[in-house]
Amino acid sequence: MTVRKKISGIVCLAMCLLMLFPFLAPVSAGAENEIDKLMVKTSASPVALMVVQGLTASTSTTGTYISAYNWYDTGGEVIEGTFGTGDAQIIIELSAQEGYVFSENLSVYLNNEAVEFTVDDTRTKVRLTKVYTPMLWQPTIIKNPKGEKVIEGERAGFTASANYANEYKWTLKGPNGESLSADKITGQFPTCSVRGDGTGNFVLHGIPLEMDGWKVVCTFTGPGGSVTSKGATINVEPKPTPTPDPTPTPTSTPQPTPTPSPSASPEDAKKEDDKTQNEEEEHVHQFSDKWYTNSRYHWHKCSCGQVSDKEEHVFKWETVKKANKKGPGLEKGVCEVCGYETTKEIEYKPTVKDHAGLKIIKIIIVVVIIVIIACIAVFGIQVAKANRYKSKHSRKK
């Protein structure tokens, strides 16, 4: 065999091995899987007296998910309940999904504004921070009190609520422009007593006929100002006139009656009347701002057990881990109303693209094998020819 033929065979085998190398070499995260720009947003900016749990965060950057999210005050304590008027710092931690890393030239934006951030040594976790001064909004009325129609001497209850308010003040307005704060009502209407000033529920007891046409209003005050509700009119009707009993007809000689049992003392009678009155009073619900949840619903609850605003969760889903051939993926859902979190698995479903890619790989492997076999065959034929040629010349000699 000549040197030229040997070199041709070696080159052919080398080319075959080079064609196989991309399929044999391990796959690593390449430049196309490096994240250069990280976009994060919150559902709203903090407002004084806003419920912290109702404010959510999300990312639209492919290959990332939020792994931790909290608000802190200036002392480094987690803010629970509602925002105050002092500065609040948001800290969000994000992780890269499998196959992705954060670039060394990474830029991070929160609500389209560049923010400070740190990246860990593995370049798979990012921690961003930003300090906000909560906005001061004027209270927004959610519920105005409704008018009541009562009989003289009865009671009436009124309910009102507002967002971004931490103070409730009830006032009585007269038809001629008079105005009485809750603590002055008894002075003008001695038979009337007041309960609930300073809360969302206001009750008047022993309403006199003179209060007919007066209106009840509630003024809500918060860090951003004050606002007054619509007036709820009190319509008072006089007690019905008792119907006189008809003239009694003569009766036969009365039979002796049994000795009456001793009557209760005046103090006991008064206690019994107070107890009956309390039992007859209508309970006014006071629903908490806190959300109660289960896997399907969220609601507000009164101390008596009554619930309000019960609705199904409104989830916003984001992929935490993509499904692949090795196993199912994972999605994280956050309710946009109450902040309830849950997760669910994502089933891996091969796409047409996956099948097409697999088919192409198989075709390439078959072609490479055929080329290798062809090269070996050509090499074998050349070797056989060379041996015959040597054998023929050796016999001649």
Side-chain angles (χ1 to χ4, degrees), residues 69-79 87-91 127:
Y69 163 61
N70 269 310
W71 288 90
Y72 298 86
D73 59 21
T74 53
E77 297 293 328
V78 176
I79 300 176
D87 288 347
Q89 182 182 42
I90 187 174
I91 298 180
R127 178 187 173 98

Side-chain angles (χ1 to χ4, degrees), residues 156-187:
F158 305 89
T159 302
S161 59
N163 284 332
Y164 317 119
N166 56 359
E167 182 181 336
Y168 291 64
K169 186 67 177 177
W170 293 89
T171 306
L172 203 60
K173 301 283 186 180
N176 299 320
E178 307 97 322
S179 180
L180 294 175
S181 58
D183 59 333
K184 302 292 184 182
I185 294 175
T186 304

Side-chain angles (χ1 to χ4, degrees), residues 237-258:
E237 295 183 355
K239 291 181 180 180
T241 303
T243 304
D245 295 332
T247 303
T249 57
T251 60
S252 58
T253 304
Q255 298 295 324
T257 57

Side-chain angles (χ1 to χ4, degrees), residues 352-383:
V352 175
K353 183 178 178 181
D354 294 334
H355 291 300
L358 182 61
K359 186 176 180 180
I360 292 172
I361 292 173
K362 289 181 177 179
I363 292 173
I364 292 174
I365 292 175
V366 171
V367 171
V368 170
I369 292 173
I370 292 173
V371 171
I372 292 174
I373 293 173
C375 291
I376 294 174
V378 171
F379 183 74
I381 292 170
Q382 290 177 344
V383 171

Side-chain angles (χ1 to χ4, degrees), residues 48-49 82 137-143 160-171 181-183 196-202 217-229 289:
L49 302 184
T82 60
W137 284 1
Q138 187 180 50
T140 303
I141 295 177
I142 300 174
K143 184 176 183 179
S161 59
N163 284 332
Y164 317 119
N166 56 359
E167 182 181 336
Y168 291 64
K169 186 67 177 177
W170 293 89
T171 306
S181 58
D183 59 333
D197 187 38
T199 69
N201 300 287
F202 184 65
V217 299
C218 184
T219 300
F220 307 96
T221 303
S226 298
V227 64
T228 300
S229 71
D289 293 332

Side-chain angles (χ1 to χ4, degrees), residues 113-134:
E113 293 185 6
V115 292
E116 296 180 358
F117 66 94
T118 57
V119 183
D120 73 343
D121 295 337
T122 63
R123 293 197 292 145
T124 59
K125 293 184 181 296
V126 168
R127 178 187 173 98
L128 66 87
T129 62
K130 185 176 181 179
V131 176
Y132 285 88
T133 299

Side-chain angles (χ1 to χ4, degrees), residues 85-106:
T85 56
D87 288 347
Q89 182 182 42
I90 187 174
I91 298 180
I92 303 177
E93 295 180 0
L94 298 101
S95 299
Q97 295 178 0
E98 184 179 353
Y100 290 84
V101 293
F102 293 107
S103 169
E104 294 181 354
N105 299 318
L106 178 68

